[in-house]
Amino acid sequence: MRLQALTKCAAVAGALALPFALSAAPASASPGGAGSAVAIAATGTVVVPPTSSVASAAQRPTSKSVAELPANPLVQARLLNGSAWAGHGRASVADLRVAKLGLSAHAVSAKCENGNGVSHVVGATLGTRALKVGATPNTTVTADLKGLGNVTVTLNKQVRGHDGNLTVTAIEVSATLAGKTQTISIASASCGKSGQPGQPGQPGQPGQPSQPSQPGQPSSPATPPGEAPAPTPVPGDLPVTG
């Protein structure tokens, strides 16, 4: 039994890591504003505060992890992870179970990088219907549950804001419980677009070449010094020593 449990944990961890292995976290990320991630959050009759919620614009990932979702009457999950850094967000959940709504999954993950998002679900079912591993963006599945009416599940939900930032949610559930709309967001990541490379500036106009200076007039050769006058003899006696 212990071996089986360890094998299951290893398989779930591998499924969660697979979508994220597409690109390793770089030492410095492309510009793109803050990234954010939330493993699970719920509003409505049952409120589940954002769990493993993180946001960061740093150059290296900031992460939060919770081994098991705190007890509540709606959602059960394990291994809740969230990571974020500049232009990136990643979230994952394992062993998801929403018994009242007939939803379960072995692994759920979402990733957002520089304004682009992708999500995956492994072993996910809604009632008796299997959910696609890699659904196209905003795929909607509806099930009619006895006593609850319609339950709508949106897979790979992608919403882009006016600022260009993208939020990708692997699974979003909407149902009516006790007369209120109940929503559950599972594995949600947000990020901004990377900075557009700057347009090269227009080259400056080359300066006009300077006009060559006019050669100066050659100076006249210096007048040769005049001839020295002839010496004039000066008469006188020279003393003679003996």
Side-chain angles (χ1 to χ4, degrees):
M1 293 297 293
R2 180 177 179 82
L3 179 58
Q4 292 178 346
L6 290 174
T7 302
K8 180 182 178 182
C9 289
V12 170
L16 290 174
L18 179 60
F20 293 168
L22 298 179
S23 62
S28 62
S30 300
S36 62
V38 179
I40 284 183
T43 60
T45 303
V46 178
V47 176
V48 177
T51 304
S52 294
S53 176
V54 61
S56 176
Q59 295 297 301
R60 291 179 178 276
T62 298
S63 302
K64 288 186 179 180
S65 298
V66 174
E68 188 168 0
L69 186 68
N72 65 84
L74 184 61
V75 188
Q76 297 177 353
R78 298 175 57 250
L79 304 178
L80 299 95
N81 301 300
S83 297
W85 67 102
H88 296 70
R90 297 179 178 181
S92 63
V93 174
D95 294 338
L96 172 72
R97 183 176 174 80
V98 187
K100 285 185 178 180
L101 304 181
L103 175 66
S104 64
H106 294 317
V108 183
S109 63
K111 177 174 68 174
C112 189
E113 292 188 342
N114 296 323
N116 297 300
V118 65
S119 68
H120 292 82
V121 296
V122 177
T125 57
L126 177 63
T128 58
R129 182 181 302 183
L131 302 180
K132 292 182 179 180
V133 173
T136 57
N138 302 311
T139 296
T140 300
V141 179
T142 302
D144 186 5
L145 300 182
K146 292 181 179 180
L148 294 175
N150 287 339
V151 176
T152 300
V153 171
T154 303
L155 302 173
N156 194 15
K157 182 176 181 179
Q158 299 196 15
V159 178
R160 194 174 298 279
H162 295 297
D163 56 0
N165 287 357
L166 178 72
T167 297
V168 53
T169 303
I171 300 177
E172 184 173 275
V173 184
S174 179
T176 300
L177 295 179
K180 291 185 178 180
T181 299
Q182 178 71 52
T183 62
I184 311 170
S185 297
I186 303 152
S188 183
S190 300
C191 65
K193 290 183 178 180
S194 61
Q196 297 297 323
Q199 298 297 322
Q202 296 298 323
Q205 296 298 322
Q208 296 298 322
S210 58
Q211 297 298 322
S213 58
Q214 297 297 324
Q217 296 297 323
S219 57
S220 300
T223 303
E227 295 181 359
T232 301
V234 178
D237 296 327
L238 292 176
V240 177
T241 58

